[in-house]
Amino acid sequence: MKKVLRHLIIYVLLILLALFMMGPFLWLLSVSLMPGRNVFANPPAILPTFIAFDNYVQVWEFMDFPRYIINTVVITLLGVVFNIFLSCLTAYPLATFRFKGRNLVFTLLISTMIIPSATAMIVHYLTIQAFHLGNTFLGVVLPAAVSVFNIFLMRQTFLGIPTDIRDSGKMDGASEFRIFVQLVMPLVKPGVAVIGLLEVMAFWNNFLWPIVVLDDPQKYPLAAALTYLNGQFSYNFGWIAAGTMISVLPIIIVFLFTQKYYMEGIAGAIKG
């Protein structure tokens, strides 16, 4: 009986904690389903007094959502591909090869994580302009094409691969590149899935750097477009909430379908 009561208390506390953490999201969802003036209700209306989709219809007609979604998909795909490709190529030799200065290189890479990314924004902007990549999707993606955290994650994942895998490939006469592509990469799919999920969220929700690089608002990703239009809404919170819900819906769907690989990848990286 005591065991059942203890589990009941734990579940109740966990549910309350989950509702507290989801509070802002639930409030945003509630506002998107009601007239914008209800945002000022006191106490805040977590649950809508009635459900209407007028805000979604009106904001969809007001904004060119298909264009902004296509822009976001292109930027996100480029960012994910670059990050997976470059992170794996950098992490693999740091995990498997034995060369002088390997630990020093890895330590220097890790030490750069303490530098705030915002401090490099001016350097990134000048570099992008020097390569004539301003107002292009490539200019949006390249400064975040690889991250030290992803390199660290993949290095830890590669460390968990038995050395016998590489040895068997060498005995069969396979080149190092073939061992990497055909033998090792299929074993680190959870780590790749983690990078994919993290970068999908990062690039999909990125709004500051695209505004800095892109001169043409028609090239904005969805998050930047919503921020750009906030002023034109004249604080119509119902439209803003509906637009935000539309923008985060793909992220929620992607996470629901990849959460299994995400947990496996994080666990593998910690063990590695």
Side-chain angles (χ1 to χ4, degrees), residues 11-12 18 30 43 54 67 74 110 137 145 167 172 200-201 206 214 218 236 238 241 248-249 251 261 269:
Y11 277 109
V12 170
S30 176
D54 293 345
R67 175 188 293 275
V74 172
I110 294 298
F137 291 152
D167 294 338
D172 291 338
V200 164
M201 290 190 294
N206 189 17
L214 299 174
Q218 295 299 315
N236 189 332
V248 301
L249 187 61
I251 298 296
Y261 298 103

PDB file of all heavy atoms in Angstrom, residues 11-12 18 30 43 54 67 74 110 137 145 167 172 200-201 206 214 218 236 238 241 248-249 251 261 269:
ATOM      1  N   TYR A  11       3.754  10.470  -9.359  1.00  0.00           N
ATOM      2  CA  TYR A  11       3.101  10.762 -10.643  1.00  0.00           C
ATOM      3  C   TYR A  11       2.364  12.094 -10.601  1.00  0.00           C
ATOM      4  O   TYR A  11       2.380  12.861 -11.577  1.00  0.00           O
ATOM      5  CB  TYR A  11       2.147   9.624 -11.010  1.00  0.00           C
ATOM      6  CG  TYR A  11       2.828   8.465 -11.683  1.00  0.00           C
ATOM      7  CD1 TYR A  11       2.992   7.245 -11.037  1.00  0.00           C
ATOM      8  CD2 TYR A  11       3.331   8.589 -12.981  1.00  0.00           C
ATOM      9  CE1 TYR A  11       3.626   6.169 -11.646  1.00  0.00           C
ATOM     10  CE2 TYR A  11       3.971   7.532 -13.603  1.00  0.00           C
ATOM     11  CZ  TYR A  11       4.113   6.321 -12.937  1.00  0.00           C
ATOM     12  OH  TYR A  11       4.759   5.278 -13.547  1.00  0.00           O
ATOM     13  N   VAL A  12       1.703  12.374  -9.482  1.00  0.00           N
ATOM     14  CA  VAL A  12       0.994  13.648  -9.362  1.00  0.00           C
ATOM     15  C   VAL A  12       1.980  14.816  -9.442  1.00  0.00           C
ATOM     16  O   VAL A  12       1.736  15.816 -10.134  1.00  0.00           O
ATOM     17  CB  VAL A  12       0.197  13.684  -8.038  1.00  0.00           C
ATOM     18  CG1 VAL A  12      -0.339  15.102  -7.785  1.00  0.00           C
ATOM     19  CG2 VAL A  12      -0.951  12.695  -8.088  1.00  0.00           C
ATOM     20  N   ALA A  18       5.064  18.915 -15.196  1.00  0.00           N
ATOM     21  CA  ALA A  18       4.920  18.966 -16.660  1.00  0.00           C
ATOM     22  C   ALA A  18       3.971  20.088 -17.075  1.00  0.00           C
ATOM     23  O   ALA A  18       4.241  20.814 -18.032  1.00  0.00           O
ATOM     24  CB  ALA A  18       4.412  17.616 -17.174  1.00  0.00           C
ATOM     25  N   SER A  30      -3.903  28.691 -26.137  1.00  0.00           N
ATOM     26  CA  SER A  30      -5.198  29.249 -25.743  1.00  0.00           C
ATOM     27  C   SER A  30      -5.444  30.598 -26.405  1.00  0.00           C
ATOM     28  O   SER A  30      -6.542  30.862 -26.917  1.00  0.00           O
ATOM     29  CB  SER A  30      -5.248  29.384 -24.212  1.00  0.00           C
ATOM     30  OG  SER A  30      -6.437  30.008 -23.804  1.00  0.00           O
ATOM     31  N   PRO A  43      -7.040  36.300 -13.948  1.00  0.00           N
ATOM     32  CA  PRO A  43      -5.808  35.579 -14.269  1.00  0.00           C
ATOM     33  C   PRO A  43      -5.767  35.135 -15.735  1.00  0.00           C
ATOM     34  O   PRO A  43      -6.817  35.078 -16.372  1.00  0.00           O
ATOM     35  CB  PRO A  43      -5.886  34.366 -13.326  1.00  0.00           C
ATOM     36  CG  PRO A  43      -7.355  34.149 -13.124  1.00  0.00           C
ATOM     37  CD  PRO A  43      -7.963  35.515 -13.105  1.00  0.00           C
ATOM     38  N   ASP A  54     -10.387  31.420 -36.287  1.00  0.00           N
ATOM     39  CA  ASP A  54     -10.348  32.638 -37.102  1.00  0.00           C
ATOM     40  C   ASP A  54      -8.941  33.216 -37.180  1.00  0.00           C
ATOM     41  O   ASP A  54      -8.521  33.709 -38.230  1.00  0.00           O
ATOM     42  CB  ASP A  54     -11.308  33.683 -36.517  1.00  0.00           C
ATOM     43  CG  ASP A  54     -12.759  33.242 -36.639  1.00  0.00           C
ATOM     44  OD1 ASP A  54     -13.012  32.293 -37.406  1.00  0.00           O
ATOM     45  OD2 ASP A  54     -13.615  33.834 -35.956  1.00  0.00           O
ATOM     46  N   ARG A  67       5.598  30.563 -49.011  1.00  0.00           N
ATOM     47  CA  ARG A  67       6.934  31.059 -49.374  1.00  0.00           C
ATOM     48  C   ARG A  67       7.882  30.969 -48.178  1.00  0.00           C
ATOM     49  O   ARG A  67       9.023  30.505 -48.307  1.00  0.00           O
ATOM     50  CB  ARG A  67       6.846  32.502 -49.853  1.00  0.00           C
ATOM     51  CG  ARG A  67       8.223  33.135 -50.137  1.00  0.00           C
ATOM     52  CD  ARG A  67       8.082  34.612 -50.425  1.00  0.00           C
ATOM     53  NE  ARG A  67       7.375  34.841 -51.663  1.00  0.00           N
ATOM     54  CZ  ARG A  67       7.949  34.845 -52.859  1.00  0.00           C
ATOM     55  NH1 ARG A  67       9.255  34.642 -52.954  1.00  0.00           N
ATOM     56  NH2 ARG A  67       7.246  35.067 -53.933  1.00  0.00           N
ATOM     57  N   VAL A  74      14.444  25.037 -46.921  1.00  0.00           N
ATOM     58  CA  VAL A  74      15.732  25.057 -47.641  1.00  0.00           C
ATOM     59  C   VAL A  74      16.883  25.365 -46.677  1.00  0.00           C
ATOM     60  O   VAL A  74      17.916  24.677 -46.677  1.00  0.00           O
ATOM     61  CB  VAL A  74      15.684  26.102 -48.775  1.00  0.00           C
ATOM     62  CG1 VAL A  74      17.069  26.265 -49.401  1.00  0.00           C
ATOM     63  CG2 VAL A  74      14.679  25.687 -49.832  1.00  0.00           C
ATOM     64  N   ILE A 110      37.153  22.231 -27.687  1.00  0.00           N
ATOM     65  CA  ILE A 110      36.206  22.295 -26.569  1.00  0.00           C
ATOM     66  C   ILE A 110      36.283  23.651 -25.868  1.00  0.00           C
ATOM     67  O   ILE A 110      35.265  24.204 -25.431  1.00  0.00           O
ATOM     68  CB  ILE A 110      36.479  21.158 -25.570  1.00  0.00           C
ATOM     69  CG1 ILE A 110      36.178  19.800 -26.221  1.00  0.00           C
ATOM     70  CG2 ILE A 110      35.646  21.321 -24.313  1.00  0.00           C
ATOM     71  CD1 ILE A 110      34.730  19.629 -26.632  1.00  0.00           C
ATOM     72  N   PHE A 137      20.838  32.254 -49.023  1.00  0.00           N
ATOM     73  CA  PHE A 137      20.611  31.214 -48.020  1.00  0.00           C
ATOM     74  C   PHE A 137      21.931  30.624 -47.532  1.00  0.00           C
ATOM     75  O   PHE A 137      22.056  30.237 -46.365  1.00  0.00           O
ATOM     76  CB  PHE A 137      19.740  30.107 -48.606  1.00  0.00           C
ATOM     77  CG  PHE A 137      18.322  30.527 -48.858  1.00  0.00           C
ATOM     78  CD1 PHE A 137      17.569  29.932 -49.852  1.00  0.00           C
ATOM     79  CD2 PHE A 137      17.736  31.529 -48.093  1.00  0.00           C
ATOM     80  CE1 PHE A 137      16.255  30.320 -50.079  1.00  0.00           C
ATOM     81  CE2 PHE A 137      16.420  31.932 -48.312  1.00  0.00           C
ATOM     82  CZ  PHE A 137      15.687  31.320 -49.319  1.00  0.00           C
ATOM     83  N   ALA A 145      27.467  26.142 -39.894  1.00  0.00           N
ATOM     84  CA  ALA A 145      27.550  24.886 -40.629  1.00  0.00           C
ATOM     85  C   ALA A 145      28.148  23.756 -39.812  1.00  0.00           C
ATOM     86  O   ALA A 145      27.983  22.572 -40.156  1.00  0.00           O
ATOM     87  CB  ALA A 145      28.370  25.082 -41.906  1.00  0.00           C
ATOM     88  N   ASP A 167      39.323  -2.981 -37.784  1.00  0.00           N
ATOM     89  CA  ASP A 167      40.338  -4.002 -38.083  1.00  0.00           C
ATOM     90  C   ASP A 167      39.836  -5.007 -39.115  1.00  0.00           C
ATOM     91  O   ASP A 167      40.586  -5.435 -40.013  1.00  0.00           O
ATOM     92  CB  ASP A 167      40.742  -4.728 -36.799  1.00  0.00           C
ATOM     93  CG  ASP A 167      41.454  -3.804 -35.819  1.00  0.00           C
ATOM     94  OD1 ASP A 167      41.988  -2.763 -36.273  1.00  0.00           O
ATOM     95  OD2 ASP A 167      41.472  -4.101 -34.615  1.00  0.00           O
ATOM     96  N   ASP A 172      40.090  -6.952 -44.874  1.00  0.00           N
ATOM     97  CA  ASP A 172      39.457  -7.210 -46.176  1.00  0.00           C
ATOM     98  C   ASP A 172      39.980  -6.278 -47.257  1.00  0.00           C
ATOM     99  O   ASP A 172      39.489  -6.303 -48.394  1.00  0.00           O
ATOM    100  CB  ASP A 172      37.939  -7.046 -46.053  1.00  0.00           C
ATOM    101  CG  ASP A 172      37.318  -8.150 -45.216  1.00  0.00           C
ATOM    102  OD1 ASP A 172      37.961  -9.213 -45.098  1.00  0.00           O
ATOM    103  OD2 ASP A 172      36.208  -7.942 -44.674  1.00  0.00           O
ATOM    104  N   VAL A 200      17.720  20.876 -36.723  1.00  0.00           N
ATOM    105  CA  VAL A 200      16.408  21.231 -37.263  1.00  0.00           C
ATOM    106  C   VAL A 200      15.754  22.289 -36.387  1.00  0.00           C
ATOM    107  O   VAL A 200      15.219  23.297 -36.875  1.00  0.00           O
ATOM    108  CB  VAL A 200      15.510  19.980 -37.375  1.00  0.00           C
ATOM    109  CG1 VAL A 200      14.048  20.389 -37.550  1.00  0.00           C
ATOM    110  CG2 VAL A 200      15.934  19.127 -38.545  1.00  0.00           C
ATOM    111  N   MET A 201      15.799  22.081 -35.066  1.00  0.00           N
ATOM    112  CA  MET A 201      15.203  23.060 -34.145  1.00  0.00           C
ATOM    113  C   MET A 201      15.939  24.391 -34.216  1.00  0.00           C
ATOM    114  O   MET A 201      15.320  25.466 -34.202  1.00  0.00           O
ATOM    115  CB  MET A 201      15.216  22.505 -32.717  1.00  0.00           C
ATOM    116  CG  MET A 201      14.255  21.347 -32.506  1.00  0.00           C
ATOM    117  SD  MET A 201      14.066  20.885 -30.775  1.00  0.00           S
ATOM    118  CE  MET A 201      15.699  20.266 -30.412  1.00  0.00           C
ATOM    119  N   ASN A 206      15.651  29.955 -35.946  1.00  0.00           N
ATOM    120  CA  ASN A 206      16.605  31.051 -36.023  1.00  0.00           C
ATOM    121  C   ASN A 206      15.961  32.276 -36.689  1.00  0.00           C
ATOM    122  O   ASN A 206      15.360  32.184 -37.759  1.00  0.00           O
ATOM    123  CB  ASN A 206      17.827  30.613 -36.838  1.00  0.00           C
ATOM    124  CG  ASN A 206      18.938  31.626 -36.757  1.00  0.00           C
ATOM    125  OD1 ASN A 206      18.944  32.498 -35.877  1.00  0.00           O
ATOM    126  ND2 ASN A 206      19.883  31.545 -37.673  1.00  0.00           N
ATOM    127  N   LEU A 214      19.980  38.714 -44.608  1.00  0.00           N
ATOM    128  CA  LEU A 214      19.063  38.822 -45.743  1.00  0.00           C
ATOM    129  C   LEU A 214      18.506  40.238 -45.849  1.00  0.00           C
ATOM    130  O   LEU A 214      17.915  40.758 -44.894  1.00  0.00           O
ATOM    131  CB  LEU A 214      17.918  37.817 -45.579  1.00  0.00           C
ATOM    132  CG  LEU A 214      18.339  36.348 -45.539  1.00  0.00           C
ATOM    133  CD1 LEU A 214      17.146  35.456 -45.235  1.00  0.00           C
ATOM    134  CD2 LEU A 214      18.991  35.929 -46.854  1.00  0.00           C
ATOM    135  N   GLN A 218      11.399  38.821 -48.487  1.00  0.00           N
ATOM    136  CA  GLN A 218      10.768  37.652 -49.121  1.00  0.00           C
ATOM    137  C   GLN A 218      11.612  36.391 -48.957  1.00  0.00           C
ATOM    138  O   GLN A 218      11.125  35.289 -49.194  1.00  0.00           O
ATOM    139  CB  GLN A 218      10.550  37.936 -50.608  1.00  0.00           C
ATOM    140  CG  GLN A 218       9.571  39.056 -50.876  1.00  0.00           C
ATOM    141  CD  GLN A 218       8.181  38.758 -50.332  1.00  0.00           C
ATOM    142  OE1 GLN A 218       7.665  37.661 -50.505  1.00  0.00           O
ATOM    143  NE2 GLN A 218       7.585  39.727 -49.658  1.00  0.00           N
ATOM    144  N   ASN A 236      -1.758  42.459 -32.429  1.00  0.00           N
ATOM    145  CA  ASN A 236      -2.844  41.491 -32.496  1.00  0.00           C
ATOM    146  C   ASN A 236      -2.288  40.160 -32.014  1.00  0.00           C
ATOM    147  O   ASN A 236      -1.773  39.361 -32.787  1.00  0.00           O
ATOM    148  CB  ASN A 236      -3.372  41.371 -33.934  1.00  0.00           C
ATOM    149  CG  ASN A 236      -4.632  40.536 -34.010  1.00  0.00           C
ATOM    150  OD1 ASN A 236      -4.841  39.650 -33.187  1.00  0.00           O
ATOM    151  ND2 ASN A 236      -5.475  40.827 -34.979  1.00  0.00           N
ATOM    152  N   GLY A 238      -3.621  37.496 -31.025  1.00  0.00           N
ATOM    153  CA  GLY A 238      -4.233  36.292 -31.560  1.00  0.00           C
ATOM    154  C   GLY A 238      -3.557  35.849 -32.841  1.00  0.00           C
ATOM    155  O   GLY A 238      -3.272  34.659 -33.033  1.00  0.00           O
ATOM    156  N   ALA A 241       0.054  34.671 -31.966  1.00  0.00           N
ATOM    157  CA  ALA A 241       0.036  33.339 -31.346  1.00  0.00           C
ATOM    158  C   ALA A 241      -0.267  32.267 -32.380  1.00  0.00           C
ATOM    159  O   ALA A 241       0.364  31.202 -32.381  1.00  0.00           O
ATOM    160  CB  ALA A 241      -0.997  33.319 -30.224  1.00  0.00           C
ATOM    161  N   VAL A 248       5.821  26.377 -34.994  1.00  0.00           N
ATOM    162  CA  VAL A 248       6.418  25.353 -34.125  1.00  0.00           C
ATOM    163  C   VAL A 248       5.837  23.971 -34.372  1.00  0.00           C
ATOM    164  O   VAL A 248       6.400  22.974 -33.906  1.00  0.00           O
ATOM    165  CB  VAL A 248       6.252  25.717 -32.637  1.00  0.00           C
ATOM    166  CG1 VAL A 248       6.892  27.050 -32.329  1.00  0.00           C
ATOM    167  CG2 VAL A 248       4.793  25.710 -32.219  1.00  0.00           C
ATOM    168  N   LEU A 249       4.720  23.889 -35.097  1.00  0.00           N
ATOM    169  CA  LEU A 249       4.092  22.589 -35.328  1.00  0.00           C
ATOM    170  C   LEU A 249       5.031  21.593 -36.016  1.00  0.00           C
ATOM    171  O   LEU A 249       5.116  20.434 -35.589  1.00  0.00           O
ATOM    172  CB  LEU A 249       2.802  22.779 -36.143  1.00  0.00           C
ATOM    173  CG  LEU A 249       1.938  21.534 -36.319  1.00  0.00           C
ATOM    174  CD1 LEU A 249       1.474  21.007 -34.960  1.00  0.00           C
ATOM    175  CD2 LEU A 249       0.718  21.849 -37.199  1.00  0.00           C
ATOM    176  N   ILE A 251       8.249  21.389 -35.822  1.00  0.00           N
ATOM    177  CA  ILE A 251       9.268  20.973 -34.855  1.00  0.00           C
ATOM    178  C   ILE A 251       8.707  19.912 -33.917  1.00  0.00           C
ATOM    179  O   ILE A 251       9.382  18.914 -33.602  1.00  0.00           O
ATOM    180  CB  ILE A 251       9.744  22.189 -34.045  1.00  0.00           C
ATOM    181  CG1 ILE A 251      10.392  23.218 -34.958  1.00  0.00           C
ATOM    182  CG2 ILE A 251      10.724  21.759 -32.960  1.00  0.00           C
ATOM    183  CD1 ILE A 251      11.643  22.727 -35.633  1.00  0.00           C
ATOM    184  N   TYR A 261      15.393   7.953 -31.262  1.00  0.00           N
ATOM    185  CA  TYR A 261      16.793   8.055 -31.671  1.00  0.00           C
ATOM    186  C   TYR A 261      17.516   9.124 -30.852  1.00  0.00           C
ATOM    187  O   TYR A 261      18.715   9.007 -30.583  1.00  0.00           O
ATOM    188  CB  TYR A 261      16.881   8.387 -33.166  1.00  0.00           C
ATOM    189  CG  TYR A 261      16.281   7.333 -34.039  1.00  0.00           C
ATOM    190  CD1 TYR A 261      15.027   7.500 -34.620  1.00  0.00           C
ATOM    191  CD2 TYR A 261      16.950   6.140 -34.287  1.00  0.00           C
ATOM    192  CE1 TYR A 261      14.463   6.519 -35.416  1.00  0.00           C
ATOM    193  CE2 TYR A 261      16.402   5.154 -35.087  1.00  0.00           C
ATOM    194  CZ  TYR A 261      15.154   5.358 -35.640  1.00  0.00           C
ATOM    195  OH  TYR A 261      14.609   4.378 -36.424  1.00  0.00           O
ATOM    196  N   ALA A 269      26.309   8.802 -26.404  1.00  0.00           N
ATOM    197  CA  ALA A 269      27.367   9.799 -26.279  1.00  0.00           C
ATOM    198  C   ALA A 269      27.882   9.867 -24.851  1.00  0.00           C
ATOM    199  O   ALA A 269      29.088  10.012 -24.604  1.00  0.00           O
ATOM    200  CB  ALA A 269      26.838  11.165 -26.709  1.00  0.00           C
TER     201      ALA A 269
END
